[in-house]
Amino acid sequence: MSLNEYYQSVFDKLGAKSHILNTNEWQHSTYTHDNFIVQMKSIGLFDGVRLYFGSYRGDFKNFLRKASSTEILHFGYCTSGGFNGLVEGNTPFCMGLSDMWACSMSNTIQCSDMICSCECIGFDIDICRAKAELGKFLKHCDIAYIHDCMVDNPLIYAAKKHIINLFSKLHCHNSDILRLTALEILMTLHTIVKEMPRNWQQEDYCKEIYATIQKHCDKDLSLDYFARIYDISIAKLTRDFAKTYNTSIYQSIKQCRMQKAFYLLKKGDKNITQIASEVGYINVSAFCKNFKQHFGKSPTKII
């Protein structure tokens, strides 16, 4: 799904009417609803990199930008008004005039103010598509690193004069100037993010989670539980764990439970109902089904 298709799907779900016009390299999009109007002008600068100018006015109390399965870095500069929102339902994400912001579309963002009036200049970068091309120009700027930082630490930054000047250069129709300025802004953002404190190192806290699963796989170890402990978003939690262990937390819990159940069955001093309870299953049928899926045979064949 392209970036434009993604935005189209978000506004379609809200029942907004859309009008899209393409002129040369630019796309002009208007989304109208009984409660709000959104106007966007956008252009593709590199493969996977899109610049847009957006205007948002009206009542956005029901607006919820759902998380995207694609890794997309979303950042820009507020030229008028402001926005008050929440990331993952609990982290404040509030920007005002002359603020630079950055976040990930792997997060869910909702508007916490009913009435919003905001204008901004922004970029959307599809990390997988853009990495190779941007890497040719930016040898020391890691866009994947920026994106990963934003998953857990969305950025609101009071723009200094040189950042304001950079964004002001984007008010032109010279594609070469637009591309060069985009690269400068990316390098600036990379520098800012490098100086941000990181709450947790991916490998360290994932090892702690894995150790907890090994010891307490019979407990209710939900994603929300781990997210609260480490004060990070569920999106970052699931992504970091998958990168570290090449599997999900849910699958790790399930595997640990099955291994423990197999050991107890072999030991032979407890029945299937007792073992199911001991590895965290209330429903014996669910336990037997998962056991058979995991080992290819039912628990009764092990005893």
Side-chain angles (χ1 to χ4, degrees):
M1 178 184 289
S2 69
L3 297 176
N4 286 330
E5 289 171 338
Y6 171 79
Y7 283 120
Q8 181 76 48
S9 69
V10 170
F11 288 110
D12 282 348
K13 288 176 183 176
L14 292 171
K17 296 179 181 178
S18 60
H19 177 73
I20 298 174
L21 175 67
N22 293 302
T23 57
N24 297 322
E25 298 176 289
W26 290 85
Q27 181 177 90
H28 303 262
S29 307
T30 302
Y31 303 96
T32 55
H33 188 272
D34 291 341
N35 298 326
F36 63 78
I37 180 169
V38 175
Q39 295 174 301
M40 300 175 72
K41 181 177 75 169
S42 65
I43 184 173
L45 300 181
F46 303 96
D47 184 28
V49 179
R50 198 155 193 88
L51 163 68
Y52 68 89
F53 296 81
S55 172
Y56 312 84
R57 303 189 189 284
D59 183 348
F60 287 86
K61 65 182 177 183
N62 294 319
F63 180 82
L64 182 70
R65 196 206 73 192
K66 299 220 171 176
S68 169
S69 58
T70 306
E71 294 185 337
I72 298 174
L73 175 64
H74 181 61
F75 67 95
Y77 171 73
C78 182
T79 59
S80 175
F83 172 85
N84 292 320
L86 293 171
V87 176
E88 299 297 335
N90 53 28
T91 302
F93 188 69
C94 306
M95 65 178 179
L97 177 64
S98 297
D99 278 341
M100 184 180 183
W101 88 91
C103 60
S104 166
M105 286 201 175
S106 297
N107 293 120
T108 296
I109 295 181
Q110 65 190 94
C111 184
S112 57
D113 278 353
M114 288 198 305
I115 304 301
C116 175
S117 178
C118 177
E119 293 183 4
C120 61
I121 306 171
F123 290 90
D124 289 325
I125 300 182
D126 185 322
I127 301 300
C128 290
R129 286 179 55 197
K131 194 180 333 185
E133 187 171 2
L134 290 180
K136 298 174 185 176
F137 303 102
L138 302 175
K139 300 296 183 184
H140 304 290
C141 178
D142 186 346
I143 60 171
Y145 170 82
I146 298 174
H147 175 267
D148 287 348
C149 290
M150 293 304 101
V151 172
D152 189 46
N153 298 291
L155 171 73
I156 301 292
Y157 183 85
K160 296 180 171 57
K161 187 175 180 180
H162 74 282
I163 295 176
I164 297 172
N165 289 339
L166 282 174
F167 276 96
S168 68
K169 289 183 182 180
L170 297 170
H171 290 285
C172 74
H173 285 75
N174 185 308
S175 57
D176 289 335
I177 292 176
L178 293 177
R179 290 188 182 95
L180 286 171
T181 304
L183 295 175
E184 287 185 78
I185 292 172
L186 261 175
M187 287 190 292
T188 300
L189 177 59
H190 187 258
T191 300
I192 293 170
V193 172
K194 277 284 191 180
E195 295 173 354
M196 289 173 56
R198 300 298 301 276
N199 292 334
W200 295 95
Q201 293 299 317
Q202 172 187 319
E203 189 175 348
D204 291 341
Y205 86 83
C206 286
K207 282 181 178 179
E208 290 183 16
I209 290 173
Y210 189 78
T212 301
I213 291 171
Q214 295 296 309
K215 291 179 182 177
H216 306 290
C217 66
D218 58 308
K219 307 299 183 185
D220 182 18
L221 302 176
S222 65
L223 294 177
D224 185 60
Y225 168 78
F226 286 120
R228 288 199 309 272
I229 286 179
Y230 293 98
D231 193 26
I232 58 175
S233 69
I234 289 177
K236 178 172 175 57
L237 170 68
T238 54
R239 197 198 345 228
D240 283 354
F241 194 88
K243 283 183 178 179
T244 304
Y245 291 103
N246 200 32
T247 189
S248 68
I249 290 176
Y250 169 76
Q251 288 298 329
S252 291
I253 295 171
K254 183 178 177 182
Q255 182 178 22
C256 186
R257 286 179 171 182
M258 293 300 103
Q259 289 172 344
K260 183 177 180 180
F262 188 89
Y263 167 77
L264 292 173
L265 285 165
K266 281 291 188 180
K267 196 174 178 183
D269 58 351
K270 295 180 181 178
N271 62 39
I272 292 176
T273 301
Q274 291 172 320
I275 291 172
S277 176
E278 196 162 327
V279 297
Y281 283 87
I282 298 174
N283 188 304
V284 177
S285 296
F287 164 72
C288 292
K289 181 181 178 181
N290 285 341
F291 190 94
K292 188 172 183 179
Q293 287 176 344
H294 190 80
F295 290 107
K297 57 179 71 175
S298 68
T300 56
K301 301 293 184 181
I302 305 298
I303 297 174

